[in-house]
């Protein structure tokens, strides 16, 4: 709980009211106050949300300045600007240009260390507050023109232990390991609220060209021990391993609570979104709600959305809701959505997969693979161009159940497998065979006659061609139109007005180092 302390004090001979608000987990800034007081014997103070101060950084500035004016008093480095934003509501506006910075040598911050002695270009030492964040953003009109180049030597931005930070309109290129990273609680059975990274918003950013050596985790955005994050309307592109064919992730978390991932374009990655470790609420093993993943466009060579674990005997996954996404590009033995958590301590929370479009592009892939999740709900999706398995339900030590599967559109020869990798494994080739399946047939099938209202349709009958921009617009007579129970459409354009992917425009892509292309 926040605690407010009110004390009388004398300022320049007048009696005023001093208001100090004690805020939990404010990093190095343990106390903050803002007050507006009248003088004399009658006085009052207003305490609460503040508009905050604005600070400015430009390529024509000087770090001898106070950052208070864009044209006459701007700072030269972003880190100096961030160091001025100490109170909730403060804003750092950054002018166009390429910025090369290093928190390890900057006099304006403590070192922003990531893992194993790796440092970030920029770090935060102060927190915002709920509803009143500290914001670092491209100045109005300079969105996308503020380029932070980490030269393949540093993580881009490390929020450290700061909470309630908004990052907007920036371009981060040539990132070592991670573009934007948090360092909260890495892993534990029960989430430690005091150690989580809370309330970070990343929106309208472009994170391009992130890499590192084999054996380390690479991602455009790394949410280590995070809660209440929003990652919205970003373009995340090209994450890979140096000197190896192994890739990296668009977004990755070790322990995530209540994340909203929406309207992002993620491409040229191995896994689009990867929840690798998890939290529970208490020792009674109540899983948390982990994420809502919606309206994203994801091109991933292996998995679009992957819910997994760190290894055997680790924490079970919480609840995840994956809906209205377009996922494509996953190759042979790849996955559109993979839930693989049977080696966790306990069975994982439910997974909902609804109104997505999965395009395997002719590869022998799994569209959906569910292993170790207590309940699965699969509705309104379009599955197309797979020569592999459309839906696989795995029976290991913690088999879950498929409790709903209907109003989906499948390619012409769908394949469904229940109790896969067990002695009772059974496959159904073709939609009609699957519709005849009974709950008694397996451990992992929890309903009779699945997909009773689903359809078989070819790719060419569904979408307008050519489809070079991956918008997958429906033909005017597409069978997906109007097939849901309420008369809406199957697939991501359920009501026809959805925006799938990022809406930010990129005038020119920053050039990668010569060894990349």
């Amino acid at each position: 709980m926040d605690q407010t302390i009110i004390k009388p004090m004398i300022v320049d001979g007048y009696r005023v009211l001093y208001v100090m608000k004690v805020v939990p987990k404010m990093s190095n800034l343990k106390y903050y106050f803002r007050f507006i007081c009248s003088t004399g014997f009658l006085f009052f103070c207003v305490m609460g949300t503040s508009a905050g101060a604005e600070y400015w950084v430009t390529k024509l500035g000087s770090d001898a300045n106070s950052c208070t004016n864009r044209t006459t008093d701007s700072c030269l480095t972003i880190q100096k600007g961030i160091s001025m934003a100490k109170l909730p509501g403060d804003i750092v506006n950054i002018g166009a240009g390429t910025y090369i910075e290093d928190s390890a040598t900057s006099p304006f911050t403590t070192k922003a260390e990531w893992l194993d002695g790796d440092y970030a270009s920029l770090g935060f030492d102060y927190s915002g507050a709920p509803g009143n964040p500290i914001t670092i953003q491209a100045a109005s009109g300079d969105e996308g023109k503020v380029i932070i180049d980490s030269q393949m030597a540093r993580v881009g931005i490390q929020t450290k232990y700061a909470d309630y930070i908004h990052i907007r309109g920036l371009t981060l290129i040539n990132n070592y390991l991670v573009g934007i990273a948090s360092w909260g609680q890495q892993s534990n059975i029960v989430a430690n609220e005091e150690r989580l990274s809370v309330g970070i918003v990343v929106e309208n950013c472009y994170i391009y060209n992130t890499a590192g050596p084999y054996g380390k985790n690479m991602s455009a955005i790394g949410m280590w021990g995070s809660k209440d994050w929003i990652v919205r309307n970003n373009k995340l592109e090209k994450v890979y391993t140096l000197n190896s064919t192994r890739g990296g992730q668009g977004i990755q978390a070790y322990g995530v609570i209540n994340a909203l991932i929406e309207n992002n374009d993620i491409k040229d990655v191995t896994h689009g979104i990867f929840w690798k470790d998890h939290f529970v609420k208490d020792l009674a093993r109540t899983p948390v709600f982990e994420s809502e993943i919606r309206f994203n466009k994801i091109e991933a060579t292996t998995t679009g959305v992957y819910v997994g674990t760190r290894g055997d005997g680790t924490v079970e996954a919480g609840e995840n809701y994956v809906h209205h996404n377009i996922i494509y590009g996953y190759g042979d033995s790849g996955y559109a959505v993979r839930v693989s958590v049977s080696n966790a301590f306990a069975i994982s929370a439910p997974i909902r997969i609804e109104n997505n479009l999965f395009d395997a592009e002719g590869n022998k892939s799994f569209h959906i693979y569910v292993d170790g999740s207590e309940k699965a709900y699969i509705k309104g999706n379009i599955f197309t161009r797979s020569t592999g398995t459309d839906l696989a339900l795995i029976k290991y030590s913690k088999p879950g159940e498929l409790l709903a599967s209907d109003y989906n559109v499948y390619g012409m020869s769908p394949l469904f497998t229940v109790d896969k990798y067990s002695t009772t494994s059974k496959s159904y080739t073709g939609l009609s065979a699957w519709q005849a399946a009974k709950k008694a047939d397996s451990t992992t099938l929890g309903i009779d006659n699945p997909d009773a209202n689903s359809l078989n349709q070819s790719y060419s009958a569904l979408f307008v061609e050519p489809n070079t921009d991956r918008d997958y617009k429906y033909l005017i007579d597409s069978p997906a139109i109007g097939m849901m129970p309420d008369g809406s459409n199957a697939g991501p354009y359920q009501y026809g007005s959805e925006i799938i992917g990022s809406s930010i425009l990129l005038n020119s892509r920053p050039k990668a180092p010569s060894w990349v292309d």
Side-chain angles (χ1 to χ4, degrees):
M1 296 292 291
D2 294 353
Q3 179 185 0
T4 301
I5 301 171
I6 304 175
K7 294 181 179 180
M9 63 183 296
I10 303 297
V11 177
D12 294 333
Y14 293 97
R15 188 181 185 194
V16 299
L17 199 62
Y18 173 84
V19 182
M20 180 168 67
K21 190 172 181 70
V22 182
V23 182
K25 196 175 164 296
M26 289 288 290
S27 302
N28 296 331
L29 183 66
K30 191 173 183 181
Y31 308 106
Y32 76 92
F33 67 91
R34 292 189 189 274
F35 59 87
I36 305 170
C37 298
S38 65
T39 59
F41 294 102
L42 297 175
F43 58 86
F44 67 94
C45 282
V46 178
M47 178 69 191
T49 301
S50 169
E54 288 200 62
Y55 300 98
W56 296 87
V57 178
T58 71
K59 296 302 291 184
L60 298 177
S62 168
D63 282 345
N65 291 335
S66 300
C67 311
T68 58
N69 185 280
R70 177 168 187 162
T71 57
T72 62
D73 190 44
S74 65
C75 293
L76 177 62
T77 65
I78 298 174
Q79 191 65 71
K80 171 63 184 294
I82 292 174
S83 74
M84 301 298 291
K86 300 178 180 180
L87 301 177
D90 286 351
I91 298 172
V92 181
N93 299 294
I94 309 167
T98 298
Y99 295 81
I100 298 175
E101 307 205 15
D102 187 350
S103 71
T105 59
S106 172
F108 305 114
T109 183
T110 56
K111 295 178 180 180
E113 185 174 2
W114 178 231
L115 299 172
D116 304 325
D118 300 314
Y119 293 97
S121 292
L122 299 168
F124 286 85
D125 294 310
Y126 302 100
S127 289
N132 210 15
I134 290 175
T135 300
I136 171 175
Q137 64 184 14
S140 179
D142 288 340
E143 293 87 356
K145 301 175 184 177
V146 175
I147 300 172
I148 300 167
D149 185 352
S150 293
Q151 301 177 305
M152 271 311 159
R154 295 171 299 281
V155 171
I157 297 175
Q158 222 277 64
T159 64
K160 295 193 278 191
Y161 291 102
D163 295 333
Y164 302 104
I165 303 294
H166 286 200
I167 302 170
R168 293 177 176 153
L170 307 181
T171 296
L172 294 93
I173 64 172
N174 306 330
N175 310 289
Y176 181 69
L177 300 179
V178 190
I180 296 177
S182 68
W183 181 243
Q185 175 187 352
Q186 181 175 356
S187 59
N188 204 316
I189 292 176
V190 179
N192 182 344
E193 294 286 338
E194 291 300 306
R195 295 185 59 192
L196 299 181
S197 174
V198 182
I200 308 297
V201 177
V202 180
E203 59 185 349
N204 303 335
C205 292
Y206 181 39
I207 304 178
Y208 174 75
N209 198 46
T210 302
Y214 182 84
K216 294 201 174 188
N217 291 285
M218 275 76 66
S219 57
I221 298 177
M223 302 161 56
W224 261 236
S226 56
K227 179 181 178 182
D228 299 340
W229 276 50
I230 298 174
V231 179
R232 172 188 292 146
N233 201 40
N234 304 285
K235 290 184 180 287
L236 313 176
E237 184 178 357
K238 192 177 278 291
V239 185
Y240 58 98
T241 300
L242 296 168
N243 302 317
S244 172
T245 58
R246 183 171 179 254
Q249 288 63 253
I251 303 171
Q252 182 176 354
Y254 274 88
V256 59
I257 300 174
N258 193 41
L260 176 61
I261 313 296
E262 65 177 1
N263 289 108
N264 300 284
D265 269 345
I266 303 174
K267 64 186 301 183
D268 204 357
V269 297
T270 298
H271 306 303
I273 298 168
F274 188 6
W275 298 158
K276 194 171 184 178
D277 202 1
H278 312 281
F279 289 130
V280 293
K281 292 180 180 177
D282 49 49
L283 290 176
R285 311 209 67 78
T286 303
V288 303
F289 178 83
E290 290 189 335
S291 71
E292 182 174 2
I293 299 169
R294 66 187 188 186
F295 307 123
N296 301 284
K297 188 180 292 186
I298 302 172
E299 177 200 36
T301 57
T302 301
T303 312
V305 175
Y306 186 7
V307 180
T309 63
R310 284 184 295 125
D312 291 338
T314 51
V315 182
E316 60 272 21
E319 184 178 355
N320 290 281
Y321 182 22
V322 181
H323 65 103
H324 296 87
N325 303 282
I326 292 173
I327 301 176
Y328 66 97
Y330 43 102
D332 283 352
S333 301
Y335 310 82
V337 177
R338 179 181 181 183
V339 181
S340 187
V341 287
S342 66
N343 54 357
F345 284 123
I347 194 165
S348 291
I351 179 79
R352 294 170 59 192
I353 305 170
E354 300 177 358
N355 285 95
N356 301 281
L357 190 154
F358 304 134
D359 183 6
E361 301 184 276
N363 291 307
K364 188 176 181 181
S365 307
F366 292 86
H367 281 310
I368 296 178
Y369 176 107
V370 179
D371 175 15
S373 186
E374 177 187 16
K375 301 171 185 176
Y377 303 89
I378 300 170
K379 295 182 180 179
N381 302 285
I382 297 176
F383 303 78
T384 190
R385 297 200 293 188
S386 173
T387 58
T389 301
D390 290 84
L391 172 61
L393 305 172
I394 314 302
K395 180 181 178 181
Y396 278 139
S397 60
K398 303 178 185 65
E401 288 186 296
L402 176 68
L403 293 184
S405 186
D406 209 354
Y407 300 98
N408 299 297
V409 181
Y410 294 99
M412 296 307 293
S413 299
L415 177 65
F416 308 88
T417 302
V418 296
D419 296 356
K420 190 174 178 65
Y421 306 130
S422 77
T423 57
T424 58
S425 178
K426 185 175 183 179
S427 293
Y428 301 85
T429 301
L431 182 58
S432 59
W434 176 237
Q435 290 171 328
K438 300 295 184 180
K439 179 178 178 179
D441 292 346
S442 75
T443 302
T444 54
L445 183 59
I447 51 175
D448 291 333
N449 308 110
D451 283 289
N453 298 287
S454 296
L455 301 175
N456 259 157
Q457 288 294 334
S458 66
Y459 179 90
S460 60
L462 294 167
F463 306 113
V464 176
E465 289 283 26
N467 188 27
T468 54
D469 60 356
R470 300 290 183 170
D471 61 358
Y472 295 91
K473 294 298 185 183
Y474 301 163
L475 289 165
I476 194 170
D477 58 350
S478 173
I481 294 176
M483 71 170 289
M484 300 298 291
D486 64 355
S488 62
N489 307 324
Y493 299 108
Q494 185 177 4
Y495 298 101
S497 59
E498 291 85 355
I499 297 174
I500 312 298
S502 170
S503 61
I504 63 173
L505 300 176
L506 301 176
N507 295 325
S508 62
R509 190 180 78 172
K511 184 172 176 56
S514 59
W515 66 82
V516 175
D517 294 325

